[in-house]
Amino acid sequence: MTGGEAPHLAIGRAAEDAACRHLERAGYRILVRNFRHRLGELDVVAIEGGTLALVEVRYRASARYGGAAASVTAAKRRRLARAAQVLLKRQPALAALPARFDVVDVQGPAGELRCRLIRAAFSL
């Protein structure tokens, strides 16, 4: 964690870094991290086996309240879909690929993050 950074931002960054390493080990090629638009944000945009993977990274210290994947609400899915639409309009080559929404569920304390990939975690 970097000095001066708020603890929740530091753990969020660490969780996203761990998720990207996990995705790369699983054969994903990361294209973009933190695509932001006023309509929404995509944590990771990657390609895996010819499919565009729009990946939401969710961190929870424990699974006590259903785990990170359970925290992707209907409202969050709508924001992800809107951000994806913007990205695909800007990147026509990506729009030609089949696409899916994946989730990387990251859990544990900062020094012991564990990742679980959920392919095609939800559809719209």
Side-chain angles (χ1 to χ4, degrees):
M1 290 188 218
T2 56
E5 186 174 40
H8 72 282
L9 294 177
I11 191 66
R13 184 180 328 284
E16 191 170 289
D17 290 345
C20 285
R21 288 190 301 273
H22 186 78
L23 290 167
E24 288 173 334
R25 283 192 302 271
Y28 286 59
R29 183 169 50 95
I30 308 295
L31 302 176
V32 177
R33 286 180 65 170
N34 300 307
F35 174 81
R36 287 186 173 92
H37 186 272
R38 64 180 174 80
L39 297 176
E41 177 182 345
L42 299 169
D43 292 332
V44 180
V45 178
I47 293 180
E48 189 236 357
T51 297
L52 181 65
L54 306 161
V55 184
E56 176 69 4
V57 177
R58 302 302 282 185
Y59 170 77
R60 292 290 181 267
S62 75
R64 183 177 309 157
Y65 299 104
S71 71
V72 182
T73 64
K76 179 65 174 178
R77 290 191 299 268
R78 285 191 298 274
R79 286 192 301 276
L80 292 168
R82 288 192 298 264
Q85 289 171 339
V86 171
L87 173 74
L88 296 176
K89 280 184 180 177
R90 292 180 182 177
Q91 300 286 329
L94 296 180
L97 297 172
R100 68 173 188 251
F101 289 93
D102 295 352
V103 172
V104 177
D105 182 337
V106 183
Q107 293 185 11
E112 302 171 25
L113 296 174
R114 297 174 310 283
C115 298
R116 180 174 62 105
L117 171 61
I118 305 166
R119 286 181 175 86
F122 58 89
S123 58
L124 303 171

